[in-house]
Amino acid sequence: MGVHGMTGVQEAPAQESLGAYEIAVQQFDAVVERLQLDPGIAAILRQPKRELSVNFPVKMDDGSLHVFTGYRVQHNMIRGPAKGGIRYGPNVTLDEVRALAMWMTWKCAVVGIPFGGAKGGVCCDPKALSLRELENLTRRYISEISLVIGPEIDIPAPDMNTNPQVMAWVMDTYSMQKGYSIPACVTGKPVSIGGSEGRLEATGRGIMAMARKACQHTGLPLTGARVAVQGFGNVGSVAARALQQAGATIVGLSDMDGAIYNERGIDIDAASAAAKEHGSLVAYRQAQRLGNAELLTCACDVLVPAAVENQITASNADRIQARIVVEGANGPTTPSADSILRRRGVLIVPDILANAGGVTVSYFEWVQDLQSFFWTEEEINARLFNIMERAFDSVLALSLREGVDLRTAAYMQAVSKVAEGYIVRGIYP
Ligand code: NAD
C-alpha cells in the first residue's frame, strides 16, 4: 500500500501535464493489456476513424468577418452511427475533441446503445457573441461539417455552451440543405420540433440513479447523504435537484464564479432563482461562500464534478472528503488522482457510465424521430433508469469478478463490446 501510494504521488507531475487525448489513450491502453486484446484491433481503436477541421467565416454584427475554427471527430462507428455533442468554448482544441469522441465510443458501448462515438466543437467565446452571431456561427459550422453528419452517419447533440436552441438551428440548417425536415439528424432539440421529453434532464437524472446505486453498494443511505456538486449548468443543476428529490442534502454547489456551502442544505429552487437573476449562484445568500477549488474538498459524502475536465488532480485528491465520486463531467479526474482516490478507498462511478443518461435519451430521441412516434416522459424515465441501472450492475459485477475498480471494469465492458464488432464483422475488404 505504502509503496503504491508513493508511486502514485511521485508519478503525478508527469501525468498531470498530459493532454485529454493522451489521458484517454492511457486509459484505453491499460484495458488492452487486461483484456489481451488483439493488437490489430487495439491499433484501430487507439485512434479516431475520421477527423474534420474547418475554418469558416462568420459575418459579425458590426459587418466584419471573423474566421472561426471548428472540428468534428468520429472515433468509431462499428456499432452504429457516431454520436456526440457539440461544444463551444474559447479553449476548444482538436486534442480535447478527440478525447471526448473516444469517450463517447466507450460510453455508448458501456450502456449498450447502438452508436459509435463522435464529438464536435468550435473555438469561440460564446459569451462575447450576440444571439444572431451565435446562430450564424452554428449554421455555418453545421454547413461545413454536413459532409460527415446525418441520421445514419453521425448525430450531434448539445454539450458545453450549446442548448436546445442551438440544436434547432442545427436541425434547420441540415434540413434546408437536403430540402426537407430531418429531425433525426440531431438530438437535444426542443420538443416542438421532434425533441424528446426528458432529454434536457436526462444526464442529471442518470447521475442521480448512479449515485443511488453507488450508495446502495457502499451501504451509505442516500437519504440524508451530504452531496456537493461542481458546476451548475445543465448537468449539475438537474443532478442536484434530482438528488435533493431523492432525499440527499445538497451541501455544496459551484459555478465559474465561486462556490456556496451550507451543511444544513441548500434549497435548489432558491439557488437556481439566484443564478438566473444574478448570473451566478454565488448570489444565494443562505450559505457560506467558498473558493472554487474548495468545493471539491468540502465536507460531503458524495461529490459530483459536473463542470469541466481535469478538476480532481494529484494536488487535491488526497484532500477529497467524499466517499463516493460520481463523474458528471467528462474526464474530471486525472489518472494520477484516480489512483490516489482508489488507494484511499473512494468509490468512483466513472464518467462513461455516470453521465451516459444524456446519450441514452438522445438515442430514444433518434428512435422516436425515425418512427415519428413519441413516448411519454414516464416511459422515457423508466427506460432510462432501466438501461443505466443494468449497466451499473454489470460493471459492478465485472469489477468484483476481476478485482478491479469501476472505471477499469466499465472500460473492459465497453472495449470488448466494440472489439466484438470487428471480430464478428471482419475487416473490409
Ligand atoms: P453547461 O455549460 O450547461 O454548464 C457548465 C457549468 O460548469 C456552468 O455552471 C459553469 O459555470 C460551470 N463551470 C465551468 N468551469 C467551472 C469551474 N472551473 N468550477 C466550477 N464550475 C465551473 O455544461 P453541461 O452541459 O452541464 O456539461 C457539464 C459537463 O458534463 C461537461 O464535461 C460535459 O461534457 C458533460 N456532459 C454533458 C452532457 C449533457 O447532456 N449536457 C452529457 C454528458 C456529459
Side-chain angles (χ1 to χ4, degrees):
M1 182 71 99
V3 174
H4 280 124
M6 287 302 288
T7 309
V9 174
Q10 278 170 358
E11 275 171 6
Q15 300 249 356
E16 298 296 295
S17 60
L18 293 180
Y21 183 61
E22 275 177 283
I23 291 176
V25 169
Q26 204 176 74
Q27 290 166 335
F28 170 71
D29 284 345
V31 175
V32 167
E33 264 173 51
R34 230 173 235 288
L35 289 173
Q36 297 183 324
L37 195 66
D38 176 271
I41 294 179
I44 300 172
L45 296 178
R46 220 168 172 268
Q47 49 198 344
K49 172 187 173 66
R50 192 183 279 156
E51 326 186 312
L52 179 62
S53 294
V54 291
N55 300 302
F56 57 93
V58 174
K59 194 176 263 184
M60 309 304 277
D61 289 347
D62 65 3
S64 67
L65 287 182
H66 191 94
V67 176
F68 291 91
T69 300
Y71 311 100
R72 187 73 188 170
V73 175
Q74 294 160 350
H75 172 258
N76 192 271
M77 299 161 104
I78 194 84
R79 302 181 69 253
K83 190 88 188 77
I86 294 172
R87 168 176 290 201
Y88 290 166
N91 304 319
V92 167
T93 61
L94 181 56
D95 180 86
E96 176 191 53
V97 175
R98 252 185 210 144
L100 290 160
M102 190 191 238
W103 286 327
M104 285 305 296
T105 301
W106 314 139
K107 192 178 298 186
C108 294
V110 83
V111 290
I113 58 178
F115 286 139
K119 203 80 181 189
V122 177
C123 186
C124 63
D125 180 2
K127 283 199 178 123
L129 298 173
S130 70
L131 199 62
R132 189 197 178 94
E133 289 168 340
L134 194 68
E135 177 174 351
N136 288 348
L137 176 141
T138 301
R139 289 185 179 280
R140 183 63 192 244
Y141 165 63
I142 291 305
S143 167
E144 296 284 340
I145 66 163
S146 64
L147 295 166
V148 297
I149 61 171
E152 285 90 25
I153 308 168
D154 175 1
I155 307 125
D159 193 70
M160 282 175 62
N161 295 316
T162 58
N163 58 23
Q165 174 61 74
V166 174
M167 299 306 115
W169 293 326
V170 172
M171 183 260 195
D172 187 67
T173 304
Y174 188 81
S175 298
M176 285 298 135
Q177 293 198 343
K178 299 289 168 183
Y180 58 100
S181 291
I182 309 175
C185 73
V186 63
T187 60
K189 304 176 292 293
V191 172
S192 59
I193 56 164
S196 178
E197 297 290 351
R199 170 60 188 91
L200 203 61
E201 299 85 359
T203 309
R205 280 186 183 141
I207 286 164
M208 182 279 291
M210 296 297 90
R212 191 166 56 193
K213 277 287 195 182
C215 283
Q216 271 165 14
H217 173 61
T218 49
L220 172 81
L222 182 58
T223 305
R226 296 166 305 158
V227 176
V229 181
Q230 183 198 34
F232 202 63
N234 176 269
V235 178
S237 65
V238 177
R241 179 169 280 115
L243 282 158
Q244 189 173 62
Q245 283 164 353
T249 305
I250 309 301
V251 291
L253 290 173
S254 71
D255 63 18
M256 214 106 102
D257 299 314
I260 54 174
Y261 185 86
N262 185 338
E263 61 181 9
R264 290 195 306 281
I266 295 167
D267 177 354
I268 300 301
D269 287 335
S272 298
K276 208 168 172 187
E277 197 182 331
H278 303 284
S280 169
L281 47 74
V282 296
Y284 178 83
R285 292 272 162 246
Q286 293 78 44
Q288 184 190 338
R289 275 288 297 272
L290 294 182
N292 225 324
E294 285 175 291
L295 187 274
L296 296 167
T297 56
C298 74
C300 65
D301 305 303
V302 179
L303 175 64
V304 180
V308 286
E309 294 104 81
N310 296 339
Q311 295 303 296
I312 305 179
T313 66
S315 57
N316 61 12
D318 264 326
R319 287 177 288 121
I320 290 206
Q321 300 191 46
R323 288 163 58 188
I324 296 171
V325 173
V326 184
E327 294 183 334
N330 289 308
T333 312
T334 64
S336 43
D338 204 48
S339 43
I340 295 170
L341 292 178
R342 197 161 53 231
R343 174 167 49 81
R344 293 184 51 222
V346 177
L347 183 73
I348 304 178
V349 185
D351 48 7
I352 59 167
L353 174 61
N355 68 33
V359 77
T360 301
V361 176
S362 271
Y363 164 56
F364 298 161
E365 181 172 334
W366 178 76
V367 168
Q368 292 171 84
D369 288 337
L370 291 177
Q371 299 182 339
S372 291
F373 180 70
F374 292 87
W375 314 343
T376 64
E377 190 158 354
E378 289 69 39
E379 287 170 305
I380 303 272
N381 289 342
R383 286 177 161 142
L384 166 68
F385 292 142
N386 184 18
I387 286 182
M388 293 202 64
E389 286 167 2
R390 268 193 356 227
F392 183 95
D393 288 342
S394 66
V395 168
L396 178 63
L398 183 61
S399 92
L400 296 173
R401 212 163 50 236
E402 297 284 329
V404 295
D405 59 294
L406 291 182
R407 190 186 312 279
T408 308
Y411 267 75
M412 287 172 75
Q413 181 161 305
V415 172
S416 45
K417 270 193 206 168
V418 178
E420 173 76 11
Y422 285 97
I423 294 164
V424 176
R425 284 178 58 168
I427 302 297
Y428 177 86

